[in-house]
Amino acid sequence: MASITDVAKHAGVSVTTVSKVINNYTDVSEKTRKKVNESIRLLRYEPNVVARGLVKKRSWTIGILLHNIMTNPFVSEMMSGMQKALASSGYDLLHLSADFNDPDYSVIRHCSSRNVDGMVVFGIGRDNKIPMDLVKAELPTMFVDTDLIGRRAGYITADNRNGILAVMEHLYELGHRKIAFVSGYLGYVAGRTRFEGYQQGLRQFQLPYYSNYVEISNFDSAGGYNAMQNLLKLPDRPTAVVCTSDVMAIGVMNAVADAGLSVPDDISVVGFDNTAFASIVKPGLTTVSQNIFSIGERVIHQLIELVENPDYSPPVLVEPVELIIRQSTSAPR
């Protein structure tokens, strides 16, 4: 196996110069950098990651903390985007396991023990102490769907409000006037801003707000199923249901079917995310598409900027959305 000395001899430079190229120092000419990188490629030299960490005081490891199960299609697609961004970055991803109900759990102590350079946090609301602890500690952090910023922390989310507004306009134009809203926890920015979009849509189209048309449950299929069961018990049930995730929408559709009713003939259903499930369920799910893969890529690129550039301003990123119309919505009877 080639050593750094072998690379230096092959490139005709000093070991120090090779080290500077490996660690991305700027005081090396482009010509020399190309020559060293070519020698690294030809000799198949693998830099010592631990040694790089000692030089740069980094572990070259990104931590991720998830409060959602890995089987969630949103999480798996986002992770695919993250992995692509990491592939050429020199960083590895470490999944941190945390007991969110343990009052003695310290995310800062956990990050310190694993020596992570930065954190990605998804599915943890602002009312949990973990996000604020990361902000206060000034560990480079990117939140997904948690709207917190700090000196070393930013976040990314979708254009949730306008996405739901597009849904409301679509349903109104079909002729729906009794529109229900099914969501997970509103403490997440996704749930809260999608609810704001629903309320804004009611006002925009001069539709009344009925509190019993709003069901707050879990961001999963079971949550959607239970919410729809409650809506079906109403004496004046809705003709359309807006869901804040595709998996909730699938639960809603299952509840409608189990009640002997039809989607969309009896009740139109709309989701959010445009995960792979949306196009394969029957009927195809009308949903708001956000580029989940892109969110994963962008969150890693931005986090690495925060890690490597102390003067980089933490970003607030909003991913554009698009309404995808399929067979789960139609005019009410």
Side-chain angles (χ1 to χ4, degrees):
M1 182 179 294
S3 67
I4 191 170
T5 303
D6 296 329
V7 173
K9 287 180 179 179
H10 188 274
V13 298
S14 68
V15 170
T16 300
T17 298
V18 176
S19 178
K20 286 184 175 184
V21 171
I22 292 169
N23 291 291
N24 295 315
Y25 280 77
T26 58
D27 58 340
V28 180
S29 71
E30 189 60 28
K31 180 180 178 181
T32 300
R33 189 180 301 278
K34 287 181 179 179
K35 186 164 57 174
V36 170
N37 282 327
E38 180 65 6
S39 294
I40 288 173
R41 186 185 68 80
L42 291 173
L43 297 177
R44 297 183 179 179
Y45 171 66
E46 295 290 342
N48 186 315
V49 175
V50 174
R52 287 176 68 190
L54 291 173
V55 171
K56 302 274 288 186
K57 296 185 178 179
R58 285 195 224 141
S59 65
W60 298 88
T61 303
I62 298 297
I64 182 169
L65 199 57
L66 301 168
H67 204 189
N68 293 61
I69 56 175
M70 294 294 287
T71 52
N72 183 316
F74 183 101
V75 174
S76 59
E77 194 165 343
M78 180 182 70
M79 291 286 289
S80 295
M82 293 173 63
Q83 292 287 2
K84 181 183 178 185
L86 286 164
S88 59
S89 70
Y91 289 83
D92 289 316
L93 191 66
L94 177 66
H95 181 204
L96 302 183
S97 300
D99 182 353
F100 295 95
N101 297 316
D102 181 1
D104 295 325
Y105 173 74
S106 167
V107 67
I108 304 306
R109 186 167 60 244
H110 198 172
C111 290
S112 178
S113 68
R114 298 297 185 270
N115 195 29
V116 298
D117 295 324
M119 285 290 296
V120 174
V121 179
F122 173 68
I124 304 177
R126 293 177 59 135
D127 58 345
N128 190 299
K129 67 187 292 288
I130 287 174
M132 190 54 70
D133 285 350
L134 287 166
V135 170
K136 290 178 180 176
E138 297 189 352
L139 178 69
T141 302
M142 282 295 296
F143 296 105
V144 179
D145 282 343
T146 300
D147 52 341
L148 272 180
I149 57 174
R151 200 184 74 82
R152 306 292 293 140
Y155 72 90
I156 186 170
T157 190
D159 191 357
N160 299 296
R161 186 181 290 101
N162 285 325
I164 295 297
L165 270 175
V167 170
M168 297 295 286
E169 181 178 5
H170 168 63
L171 293 173
Y172 184 82
E173 288 179 347
L174 286 173
H176 291 279
R177 301 297 182 265
K178 295 184 289 185
I179 305 171
F181 180 81
V182 171
S183 178
Y185 175 53
L186 297 184
Y188 300 139
V189 65
R192 187 180 72 251
T193 52
R194 291 171 196 179
F195 184 50
E196 290 169 358
Y198 169 72
Q199 292 175 305
Q200 186 175 339
L202 292 177
R203 291 191 300 269
Q204 181 173 321
F205 299 110
Q206 299 181 336
L207 300 176
Y209 172 81
Y210 298 114
S211 59
N212 57 359
Y213 273 15
V214 176
E215 284 286 332
I216 307 303
S217 189
N218 295 322
F219 274 112
D220 56 25
S221 180
Y225 189 95
N226 294 334
M228 191 65 223
Q229 283 189 315
N230 292 335
L231 292 171
L232 289 170
K233 294 173 185 175
L234 296 175
D236 187 21
R237 72 183 184 219
T239 62
V241 180
V242 178
C243 305
T244 56
S245 77
D246 287 350
V247 289
M248 292 194 85
I250 291 170
V252 165
M253 292 168 71
N254 289 338
V256 172
D258 287 351
L261 299 173
S262 169
V263 174
D265 294 340
D266 296 301
I267 299 174
S268 289
V269 179
V270 184
F272 201 111
D273 291 335
N274 196 32
T275 55
F277 291 164
S279 62
I280 61 176
V281 294
K282 298 296 182 183
L285 181 64
T286 295
T287 185
V288 178
S289 176
Q290 56 176 322
N291 193 331
I292 305 169
F293 189 92
S294 172
I295 288 174
E297 281 190 298
R298 293 178 75 188
V299 79
I300 290 298
H301 289 316
Q302 294 298 319
L303 181 58
I304 290 174
E305 285 286 354
L306 286 169
V307 169
E308 298 187 348
N309 184 355
D311 298 321
Y312 187 67
S313 297
V316 173
L317 305 176
V318 179
E319 188 73 19
V321 297
E322 178 187 4
L323 179 63
I324 306 296
I325 298 173
R326 296 192 178 99
Q327 296 79 39
S328 68
T329 52
S330 68
R333 286 181 173 180

